């Protein structure tokens, strides 16, 4: 580190290196603040900052009354984005096929389209849409959040006694879905998302912005939030 850098960054860099190269394996204890001050010749404040940065990066976890430990590297489970695309709960069907008990809850409401959603659905601002919020659980643990928006008039998917997939439901209205477009990016989770998904500090989420198209008309758009430390997305492209 350059001498102009804060001294705590020297501590962060060295501990990060040890975690990455395996010198400090998952579960290994991290030196206490007092030990860090002696080992690296830094003050109490610098040691505290270093631990906070490492925790924010998701490299270590704190245990009350016990100290800090190297966070275990999670095994990323596969999510096949197109495998069950017309199931009424594709995510639930996918993780259920992997032996995990899938459950979900939802809440549907009519509301005005937020500006960004109106743009994605090519509607006038404040046009009426049906919004459905989903919380998906695997073995009782929240593992995905989704919010779906549709122009009003297609019926409320959550109100059906035997929910169908979106494509089947729209087909009953004479609307043929011709394309599904997904844009995926990572971002810092919102506080409410971190709370519901019980995300450790420093973990980002995968945000999937999905839109169903019927020709040149968008007929549904969704924001899907997936913990970045638990899943990897798999897309198949048939030739």
């Amino acid at each position: 580190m350059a001498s102009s850098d804060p001294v705590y960054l020297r501590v962060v860099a060295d501990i990060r290196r040890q975690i990455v190269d395996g010198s400090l394996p998952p579960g290994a204890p991290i030196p206490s603040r007092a030990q860090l001050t002696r080992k690296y010749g830094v003050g109490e404040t610098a040691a505290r900052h270093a631990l906070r940065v490492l925790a924010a990066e998701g490299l270590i976890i704190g245990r009350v009354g016990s100290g800090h430990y190297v966070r275990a590297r999670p095994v990323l489970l596969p999510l096949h984005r197109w495998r069950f695309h017309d199931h009424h709960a594709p995510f639930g069907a996918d993780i259920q096929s992997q032996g995990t008990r899938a459950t979900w809850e939802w809440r549907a409401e009519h509301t005005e389209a937020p500006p960004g959603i109106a743009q994605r659905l090519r509607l006038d601002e404040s046009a009426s849409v049906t919004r459905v919020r989903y919380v998906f659980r695997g073995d009782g643990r929240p593992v995905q959040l989704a919010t779906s928006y549709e122009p009003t008039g297609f019926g409320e998917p959550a109100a059906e006694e035997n929910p169908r997939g979106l494509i089947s439901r729209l087909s009953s209205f004479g609307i043929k879905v011709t394309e599904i477009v997904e844009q995926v990016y990572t971002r810092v989770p919102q506080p409410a998302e971190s709370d519901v998904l019980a995300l450790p500090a420093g973990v980002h989420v995968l945000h999937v912005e999905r839109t169903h198209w019927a020709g040149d008309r968008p007929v549904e758009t969704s924001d899907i939030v997936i913990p970045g430390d638990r899943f990897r997305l798999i897309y198949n492209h048939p030739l």
Side-chain angles (χ1 to χ4, degrees), residues 154-166:
F154 299 152
E156 295 185 8
E160 298 184 6
E161 183 176 349
N162 296 302
R164 293 169 290 172
L166 176 68

Side-chain angles (χ1 to χ4, degrees), residues 115-167:
I117 297 300
Q119 183 177 20
R120 282 156 58 175
L121 289 174
R122 296 185 179 177
L123 299 173
D124 294 332
E125 284 196 21
S126 301
S128 178
V129 293
T130 299
R131 177 174 62 197
V132 187
R133 302 181 190 271
Y134 298 89
V135 177
F136 294 90
R137 290 181 167 84
D139 290 336
R141 178 187 184 190
V143 289
Q144 179 179 292
L145 308 176
T147 305
S148 171
Y149 298 87
E150 299 176 18
T152 54
F154 299 152
E156 295 185 8
E160 298 184 6
E161 183 176 349
N162 296 302
R164 293 169 290 172
L166 176 68
I167 294 175

Side-chain angles (χ1 to χ4, degrees), residues 20-38:
V20 172
D21 69 18
S23 299
L24 285 173
I30 299 298
S32 67
R33 288 199 300 268
Q35 291 170 329
L36 291 176
T37 60
R38 291 194 296 271

Side-chain angles (χ1 to χ4, degrees), residues 188-210:
V188 175
Q190 299 172 7
E193 295 167 342
S194 292
D195 289 344
V196 174
L197 295 171
L199 298 177
V203 172
H204 285 206
V205 293
L206 299 172
H207 188 124
V208 181
E209 183 182 301
R210 182 192 65 194

Side-chain angles (χ1 to χ4, degrees), residues 40-232:
Y40 295 97
V42 299
E44 173 82 8
T45 299
R48 186 184 307 113
H49 283 334
L51 293 173
R52 286 177 178 172
V53 170
L54 292 165
E57 292 181 357
L59 295 174
I60 67 174
I61 56 173
R63 298 175 185 166
V64 177
S66 178
H68 290 81
Y69 297 83
V70 178
R71 183 166 175 261
R73 297 183 181 91
V75 176
L76 299 180
L77 300 177
L79 289 181
H80 300 267
R81 294 301 300 161
W82 306 119
R83 191 174 176 185
F84 301 96
H85 70 274
D86 198 27
H87 189 278
H88 70 279
F91 176 85
D94 195 5
I95 64 171
Q96 205 155 260
S97 72
Q98 300 174 32
T100 300
R101 183 176 62 88
T103 58
W104 49 90
E105 60 189 48
W106 57 77
R107 179 167 56 89
E109 58 187 344
H110 295 294
T111 187
E112 293 183 351
I117 297 300
Q119 183 177 20
R120 282 156 58 175
L121 289 174
R122 296 185 179 177
L123 299 173
D124 294 332
E125 284 196 21
S126 301
S128 178
V129 293
T130 299
R131 177 174 62 197
V132 187
R133 302 181 190 271
Y134 298 89
V135 177
F136 294 90
R137 290 181 167 84
D139 290 336
R141 178 187 184 190
V143 289
Q144 179 179 292
L145 308 176
T147 305
S148 171
Y149 298 87
E150 299 176 18
T152 54
F154 299 152
E156 295 185 8
E160 298 184 6
E161 183 176 349
N162 296 302
R164 293 169 290 172
L166 176 68
I167 294 175
S168 298
R169 183 164 53 81
L170 293 180
S171 179
S172 69
F173 288 88
I175 298 171
K176 178 178 175 56
V177 172
T178 56
E179 186 179 21
I180 305 172
V181 177
E182 290 194 348
Q183 302 180 50
V184 184
Y185 57 92
T186 64
R187 62 171 173 81
V188 175
Q190 299 172 7
E193 295 167 342
S194 292
D195 289 344
V196 174
L197 295 171
L199 298 177
V203 172
H204 285 206
V205 293
L206 299 172
H207 188 124
V208 181
E209 183 182 301
R210 182 192 65 194
T211 301
H212 286 75
W213 292 78
D216 59 358
R217 175 190 179 191
V219 292
E220 184 269 355
T221 193
S222 297
D223 290 302
I224 302 165
V225 179
I226 301 169
D229 67 335
R230 301 179 207 166
F231 299 98
R232 55 191 173 93

